[in-house]
Each structure stands twice: as C-alpha cells, then as structure tokens.
Amino acid sequence: SAVISQKPSRDICQRGTSLTIQCQVDSQVTMMFWYRQQPGQSLTLIATANQGSEATYESGFVIDKFPISRPNLTFSTLTVSNMSPEDSSIYLCSVDTGNTIYFGEGSWLTVV
Amino acid sequence: GQQLNQSPQSMFIQEGEDVSMNCTSSSIFNTWLWYKQDPGEGPVLLIALYKAGELTSNGRLTAQFGITRKDSFLNISASIPSDVGIYFCAGLNNFNKFYFGSGTKLNVKP
C-alpha cells in the first residue's frame, strides 16, 4: 500500500488566482497521477506526473492551466492557474503501485 | 474516456439490510478495485481483485471478479449508518489504464 498526503485539504480561492497543491508519498513510486472530481461526478484523469520530464496530459487538460512538477519519486505538485468557478472541484493525487491505485485525501477547492 | 457502467446510481436502505452493487464493461479488465468515498475526502480502497472468479471479503464487504473479466460486484451485509458514502469501482485494462465507474451513492436509514 501507499500513504499519500495532500495539502491543502481545502481552500477558498479568489477568481483569477492560482493555487498549488502538494502531494507527498511515503515510498518511491513510478506512477503518480492527478485527478479532478467535480461535485457529484466520478473521477477524471488530468495528467500523469512523470519524474524528470513533462507531465502527460489527458484530452481537455493543458499544461498552461494545470502545470505539474515531479522533482522526485515521492513528491508532485499540481497548480490550478487563473482559477474560475468552474475549477471548483476536489483534486486528487494518486499512485499506481503496480496494479492498484491509492488516493490522497483530496484537496477541495472552491473558487469564488 | 471510457467509463464502466456502475449500478445502481443510488440506494436508500434500512440499517441491517444487505446491499449489492455492480460494475460492467464491454471490455476485459485484469484488475477490479472497489473504493468508498466520504464527502470531501479521497476514495479509500476497500477491496482489490486480481484474478477472474476471485471472491474476496473485507469484514462485512465481499467483492467478486466476474468470470468473464467484464464485471464485478460488491456486497455489503448488515449495513450500518457509517456505510453511507459513495462507492466506486475501477478496472485496469490490458493497456495498463484505469477506468472508473460513476459511483453508487448509498444512504442508510437508522
């Protein structure tokens, strides 16, 4: 298993600002991902955070809006840039330990 | 992207009743995972299934990996109020990609 810590756990953000979410894993993992979960919805993959190279983004998500860093095998950040109310969601860090995905506690962002 | 078909979407049951939910797909999966999510929290892994036909229990929870590899079910026996939440299934396909069900919202009346 993997223990994943995310911060902040929740925040209220002003429209037009940016916020960086941090994700720390208790062990080295190759595969780290960032998901978004809008209210009442299932999980949508934003991108795969690649260590030492640029993240791989899913269709509909771009680096300018969601820049991701992955400096080592235990840490990643996701920035939500130039936020609008439509970005109000839970953002989840996750890791794949081979054939199982574990999630962080989530970062619940509300944009006002 | 592709999503698994999870049903039912929501359930309202009385405390003590048993619950069953399932996920189906037109594609084969190599792994099935079941999660529970409380409001404002991240999904917590309940049960992981890695082989077709596998039946695994975790306390009052039992899940099975369908023999066709295209479905899985989760049963909760003797439900209690703290079982309230949203339950998600996830499947890992041959291309090492995970897909998620749309969730089953469980409400338990004391």
Side-chain angles (χ1 to χ4, degrees):
Chain A
S1 67
V3 177
I4 306 167
S5 302
Q6 267 185 252
K7 53 182 181 181
S9 57
R10 55 182 66 210
D11 207 341
I12 298 174
C13 309
Q14 294 296 318
R15 189 189 303 240
T17 62
S18 300
L19 183 84
T20 296
I21 303 166
Q22 298 181 4
C23 176
Q24 179 75 52
V25 190
D26 68 339
S27 57
Q28 293 188 334
V29 289
T30 304
M31 307 291 285
M32 284 180 82
F33 307 94
W34 287 97
Y35 285 83
R36 181 174 74 182
Q37 185 180 31
Q38 293 178 304
Q41 303 292 314
S42 188
L43 301 152
T44 301
L45 181 62
I46 297 172
T48 302
N50 300 309
Q51 195 265 326
S53 64
E54 196 171 280
T56 305
Y57 290 85
E58 297 296 305
S59 175
F61 297 97
V62 294
I63 188 171
D64 289 347
K65 176 68 176 176
F66 297 102
I68 288 170
S69 80
R70 178 91 191 270
N72 57 52
L73 293 176
T74 63
F75 186 78
S76 178
T77 68
L78 169 75
T79 300
V80 187
S81 304
N82 188 25
M83 285 186 281
S84 67
E86 293 72 34
D87 294 320
S88 297
S89 288
I90 298 176
Y91 291 85
L92 294 155
C93 171
S94 76
V95 302
D96 180 353
T97 59
N99 53 5
T100 305
I101 283 191
Y102 295 92
F103 290 92
E105 315 100 322
S107 298
W108 193 351
L109 304 187
T110 302
V111 184
V112 298
Chain B
Q2 176 187 342
Q3 279 216 324
L4 302 174
N5 299 311
Q6 186 171 348
S7 65
Q9 271 193 318
S10 64
M11 306 178 74
F12 292 83
I13 62 168
Q14 204 71 39
E15 182 177 0
E17 288 183 352
D18 297 344
V19 171
S20 186
M21 60 193 79
N22 70 83
C23 276
T24 62
S25 172
S26 56
S27 306
I28 288 172
F29 286 91
N30 298 319
T31 295
W32 285 94
L33 307 170
W34 285 93
Y35 296 88
K36 179 178 184 245
Q37 186 176 27
D38 292 325
E41 307 277 329
V44 174
L45 181 67
L46 299 173
I47 292 179
L49 303 160
Y50 302 114
K51 286 196 317 195
E54 183 179 354
L55 182 73
T56 297
S57 293
N58 177 7
R60 292 178 296 107
L61 278 60
T62 302
Q64 184 155 31
F65 191 143
I67 201 74
T68 65
R69 294 167 63 193
K70 293 182 180 181
D71 63 338
S72 177
F73 72 74
L74 174 71
N75 287 344
I76 305 173
S77 62
S79 58
I80 59 179
S82 61
D83 290 334
V84 165
I86 300 178
Y87 293 79
F88 286 101
C89 64
L92 176 68
N93 69 5
N94 283 334
F95 302 100
N96 272 337
K97 187 154 186 176
F98 278 97
Y99 293 92
F100 290 89
S102 52
T104 295
K105 189 172 183 180
L106 179 63
N107 299 278
V108 179
K109 287 194 281 191

